Amino acid sequence: MNLRFEADYKDPRTNQVHHIIKPYQVQCKNATAYTPLLVLDAAAQTIYNPLSDPDTQTVHASLRLGVNECPENKRLFVWEVMREDGTFTAVGSDTTLDYDVAVAEDGNSCTVNRSLMGTELYLRCRAKYSPDGNPSSVTLSDNAPTKLVAFIRRIPKFEYDIGDTPTNLPSGLLEIAPTAKIWNTNGTIDNPERELLPLWYVATNAQSGTLNYSLIAHGMTPTLSTGKVSQTLGGVYGLDVKDVGPACAWEDSDGAVFVDADDNVILIK
């Protein structure tokens, strides 16, 4: 590349203007190849709301050389998940517990079933790059293009209340049938029992002191006994709604995972 610099100089002695031109040649002595850039179409941290978000999310990988996509024959993606001990191993290496994540046949994407991942899952993608077209021979190192994605299960704040209850109980009424109403900022939550458990309590009313509540039912539309309602002081019914937690594989005291007769993992909430 040739650079040309021009300047005008006025001689203070004669007031004559001199126009100066100076060319300069720049030469490349050592060409450096592009450093591959790994890009994933997922945020570094993804919050999963099981009450409204899709259960599965597919993460696609791209390896770029400058502004261009790296040819497929020169790159290979390696997908890994973090284990309980904090180490990363390849997806599918644990044939028992890798039921919540799967790599596509072409290796360019990985699908996470967030409804089965537990409370969180950390997915790492690393890329092997070979300018000679032999990426399988490349040994991954700390300098390999790497991206990490965290999936976090989190149910946002919600509200609940008791509905369909009579103001006064007629004499001799043995049961009532209230309804749990659960909503958030988007309105009524559809099918909340997928993730939430309404718990119903009752206590005999008292003139003073602390009421002694006991659990009597669960569900959105229970049938509650009036047996603890005093004819003189009445009773108090209470509702509490709990997150039942994610579906997870369980293990016994020896670390063996519970499976059925066909060796399929049993998931328990």
Side-chain angles (χ1 to χ4, degrees), residues 22 51 93 97 101 118 127 144 156 226 254:
K22 178 66 176 180
L51 293 174
S93 59
L97 295 179
V101 59
T226 60
D254 297 326

Short mmCIF file of all heavy atoms in Angstrom, two decimals, residues 22 51 93 97 101 118 127 144 156 226 254:
data_model
loop_
_atom_site.label_atom_id
_atom_site.label_comp_id
_atom_site.label_asym_id
_atom_site.label_seq_id
_atom_site.Cartn_x
_atom_site.Cartn_y
_atom_site.Cartn_z
N LYS A 22 5.37 13.69 -0.18
CA LYS A 22 6.24 12.62 0.31
C LYS A 22 5.49 11.29 0.24
O LYS A 22 4.55 11.04 0.97
CB LYS A 22 6.65 12.92 1.75
CG LYS A 22 7.53 11.85 2.39
CD LYS A 22 8.90 11.75 1.72
CE LYS A 22 9.79 10.75 2.43
NZ LYS A 22 11.12 10.63 1.79
N LEU A 51 -44.18 -21.62 34.05
CA LEU A 51 -45.61 -21.34 33.94
C LEU A 51 -45.99 -20.76 32.59
O LEU A 51 -47.16 -20.79 32.21
CB LEU A 51 -46.04 -20.36 35.05
CG LEU A 51 -45.97 -20.90 36.48
CD1 LEU A 51 -46.28 -19.79 37.47
CD2 LEU A 51 -46.90 -22.08 36.67
N SER A 93 -22.34 -38.23 27.26
CA SER A 93 -21.36 -39.11 27.89
C SER A 93 -21.94 -39.81 29.11
O SER A 93 -21.48 -40.89 29.49
CB SER A 93 -20.10 -38.33 28.28
OG SER A 93 -20.42 -37.27 29.18
N LEU A 97 -28.16 -39.75 32.84
CA LEU A 97 -28.64 -38.46 33.30
C LEU A 97 -28.74 -37.39 32.21
O LEU A 97 -29.26 -36.30 32.48
CB LEU A 97 -27.76 -37.95 34.44
CG LEU A 97 -27.78 -38.79 35.72
CD1 LEU A 97 -26.86 -38.20 36.76
CD2 LEU A 97 -29.20 -38.91 36.26
N VAL A 101 -30.91 -33.00 27.58
CA VAL A 101 -30.16 -32.25 26.58
C VAL A 101 -29.74 -33.20 25.46
O VAL A 101 -29.41 -34.36 25.71
CB VAL A 101 -28.92 -31.57 27.23
CG1 VAL A 101 -28.00 -32.59 27.87
CG2 VAL A 101 -28.19 -30.69 26.24
N GLY A 118 -33.98 -29.60 36.03
CA GLY A 118 -33.81 -29.27 37.44
C GLY A 118 -33.88 -27.77 37.64
O GLY A 118 -34.55 -27.05 36.91
N ALA A 127 -15.29 -24.84 20.08
CA ALA A 127 -15.13 -25.08 18.65
C ALA A 127 -13.71 -25.53 18.33
O ALA A 127 -12.73 -24.98 18.84
CB ALA A 127 -15.45 -23.81 17.86
N ALA A 144 -9.26 -22.34 23.03
CA ALA A 144 -10.26 -22.67 22.01
C ALA A 144 -11.45 -21.71 22.12
O ALA A 144 -11.81 -21.28 23.22
CB ALA A 144 -10.73 -24.11 22.18
N PRO A 156 -41.61 -16.20 38.59
CA PRO A 156 -41.74 -14.83 39.10
C PRO A 156 -42.83 -14.74 40.17
O PRO A 156 -43.63 -15.66 40.37
CB PRO A 156 -42.12 -14.03 37.85
CG PRO A 156 -41.75 -14.91 36.69
CD PRO A 156 -41.90 -16.30 37.16
N THR A 226 -66.06 -28.82 57.70
CA THR A 226 -66.32 -27.74 58.67
C THR A 226 -66.23 -28.25 60.10
O THR A 226 -66.69 -27.58 61.03
CB THR A 226 -67.72 -27.15 58.43
OG1 THR A 226 -68.71 -28.20 58.59
CG2 THR A 226 -67.84 -26.56 57.03
N ASP A 254 -26.89 -44.77 48.31
CA ASP A 254 -25.65 -45.26 47.70
C ASP A 254 -25.33 -44.54 46.39
O ASP A 254 -24.35 -44.88 45.72
CB ASP A 254 -25.75 -46.77 47.45
CG ASP A 254 -25.89 -47.56 48.74
OD1 ASP A 254 -25.29 -47.13 49.75
OD2 ASP A 254 -26.59 -48.59 48.75
#
